[in-house]
Amino acid sequence: MPIARLHLLRRLSAPLLALLLGGCSTLDYYAHLGQGQWQLLQARQPVARLLADPATEPQLVRRLTLAQQARDFASSQLDLPDNRSYRLYADLGRPFVVWNLFATPEFSLEPELHCFPIAGCVAYRGYYQLGRARGGAALLRQQGLDTHIGGVEAYSTLGWFDDPLLNTMLRWNDQRLVAVIFHELAHQQYYLAGDTAFNESFATFVEREGLRQWHASRGEAQADDGERQRQRQQFVDLVLASRERLQRLYASELDAAAMRAAKQAEFERLRRDYRALRQREWGGNGRFDAWIESPLNNAKLLPFGLYDQWVPAFAALFAQHAGDWAAFYRAVAALGRLPQAERRAALDRLQAGG
């Protein structure tokens, strides 16, 4: 993703089949999703055919070859599903596969939810056309809601369709391309309807551990992006702290005018804190400038924290099962069968090393 977007926004998309099977608010929206998914399926080509075609551009051949090596590794070494997903390729001719529209009330950080039979409730609506997403956002703003649109470069249909590699995914470097194949296949391995933080933390752990094993198997040193990761975490922490202050504000007894002014003051504080951090610790590196300087509202803060919240818990669970992927996946599924409160308590214990 462009630096301004944070990588967690670029992949935050529910399985589209779930949307297709779910009740949509309008027939037009339903038809739009159906047409978009159908066009994507029609654009797929077997990777093997492209690799055998001498007319295929050498750079595309290199990236697709790498993707197939990662795809083989995912099933043979990480025990991820062995199917035709990511053995196909589709060039959609656009920078994002879908655009997700997030919305919240003016004085709340609770998302407007959209619930579907397979995916459960998700905090956004997906659109295959940016213009439609913008139109939907305009209608929601007329209702007094905060809105935000984020471009998405990859999503999983949980194995209901053979998900292709997309031209949007090839914008990433080699390490990110391999990582996202592992991440999206993890969603096919296990998905818990209605618990985004659980699903994304699980898939993020599989991505990271899978990438570590991938590099080890090839005798490669994993790319040292520790400084970038540190900066990203510091930025996420800033946003999460701002979100907590907003939660307290919205729970207060201020009238609407005072609360509105305090809300804007909090966003200005977030900008000031970011600028100070950038100068104090990053040497002026402005990798998140575009995000922070563009309009801020509640909806724009929604995705933060979803991908990392339970990663240490899943790492502990993996260690408990001595790195046995099959046993780990069974344990994940057992966690998913627990009632929500018990599942949260079990994750807390794992997170704490218990």
Side-chain angles (χ1 to χ4, degrees):
M1 66 167 53
I3 284 174
R5 288 189 187 274
L6 290 181
H7 82 266
L8 54 84
L9 275 176
R10 302 192 320 182
R11 294 199 319 250
L12 192 60
S13 179
L16 261 288
L17 181 67
L19 298 180
L20 296 178
L21 294 180
C24 296
S25 60
T26 66
L27 181 61
D28 179 67
Y29 179 66
Y30 179 93
H32 167 69
L33 290 179
Q35 182 181 34
Q37 180 66 30
W38 176 250
Q39 290 173 345
L40 186 152
L41 296 176
Q42 291 297 103
R44 298 175 303 176
Q45 304 177 64
V47 170
R49 182 189 303 163
L50 288 167
L51 293 178
D53 186 348
T56 303
E57 295 180 358
Q59 176 64 2
L60 180 58
V61 168
R62 188 188 74 79
R63 303 305 303 286
L64 293 179
T65 299
L66 176 71
Q68 295 314 282
Q69 292 168 350
R71 183 65 188 82
D72 292 341
F73 185 87
S75 294
S76 65
Q77 302 301 315
L78 309 181
D79 209 21
L80 290 169
D82 189 3
N83 53 36
R84 294 182 71 225
S85 289
Y86 310 112
R87 299 192 185 280
L88 305 166
Y89 175 71
D91 187 340
L92 303 178
R94 57 182 188 260
F96 299 105
V97 57
V98 292
W99 287 264
N100 283 343
L101 170 58
F102 301 85
T104 67
E106 183 182 9
F107 301 131
S108 172
L109 288 162
E110 293 301 315
E112 294 290 302
L113 295 178
H114 306 276
C115 299
F116 308 99
I118 296 174
C121 296
V122 294
Y124 47 86
R125 295 184 82 177
Y127 295 85
Y128 284 97
Q129 297 172 11
L130 178 57
R132 282 182 173 266
R134 287 173 172 165
L139 292 174
L140 293 175
R141 286 195 297 272
Q142 289 178 2
Q143 301 172 31
L145 298 176
D146 284 6
T147 66
H148 174 66
I149 297 170
V152 175
E153 291 166 328
Y155 66 79
S156 172
T157 60
L158 302 183
W160 287 90
F161 298 113
D162 295 323
D163 296 321
L165 295 160
L166 299 169
N167 66 295
T168 56
M169 298 164 64
L170 298 187
R171 297 166 61 186
W172 298 327
N173 62 29
D174 287 354
Q175 178 157 296
R176 291 284 300 127
L177 176 60
V178 170
V180 80
I181 291 171
F182 297 162
H183 185 106
E184 300 303 343
L185 286 171
H187 285 314
Q188 293 188 19
Q189 178 67 41
Y190 186 77
Y191 183 86
L192 178 61
D195 195 332
T196 300
F198 184 94
N199 294 324
E200 296 303 341
S201 295
F202 161 68
T204 296
F205 168 74
V206 173
E207 165 193 324
R208 293 179 183 176
E209 176 60 21
L211 195 61
R212 186 194 68 77
Q213 294 187 17
W214 159 263
H215 284 299
S217 74
R218 294 160 66 91
E220 299 172 346
Q222 188 162 342
D224 183 8
D225 60 352
E227 178 59 22
R228 288 180 60 82
Q229 289 295 332
R230 185 182 71 87
Q231 291 178 5
R232 178 185 173 275
Q233 188 57 54
Q234 288 178 321
F235 180 72
V236 170
D237 289 345
L238 277 184
V239 176
L240 293 179
S242 180
R243 196 162 69 179
E244 289 179 7
R245 292 191 294 269
L246 285 169
Q247 291 276 29
R248 292 193 294 271
L249 170 66
Y250 298 150
S252 71
E253 299 298 326
L254 290 178
D255 62 38
M259 191 171 292
R260 191 170 294 120
K263 174 183 175 181
Q264 293 308 311
E266 174 55 40
F267 289 137
E268 285 307 311
R269 174 180 173 176
L270 174 58
R271 289 190 175 102
R272 288 195 305 272
D273 289 348
Y274 166 76
R275 293 168 191 147
L277 175 67
R278 181 189 62 190
Q279 294 305 120
R280 183 178 67 250
E281 297 195 31
W282 300 356
N285 185 316
R287 58 182 295 206
F288 301 120
D289 283 7
W291 190 94
I292 202 77
E293 299 300 343
S294 59
L296 296 176
N297 61 30
N298 297 332
K300 195 170 181 178
L301 307 186
L302 284 179
F304 285 82
L306 290 176
Y307 276 71
D308 302 324
Q309 182 175 355
W310 301 116
V311 170
F314 286 110
L317 189 64
F318 188 71
Q320 284 184 5
H321 292 278
D324 182 321
W325 283 105
F328 169 69
Y329 296 141
R330 289 193 295 270
V332 170
L335 275 178
R337 288 192 292 271
L338 295 175
Q340 183 177 11
E342 293 181 31
R343 183 167 65 249
R344 174 65 182 263
L347 289 167
D348 279 334
R349 289 193 297 272
L350 286 165
Q351 198 99 314

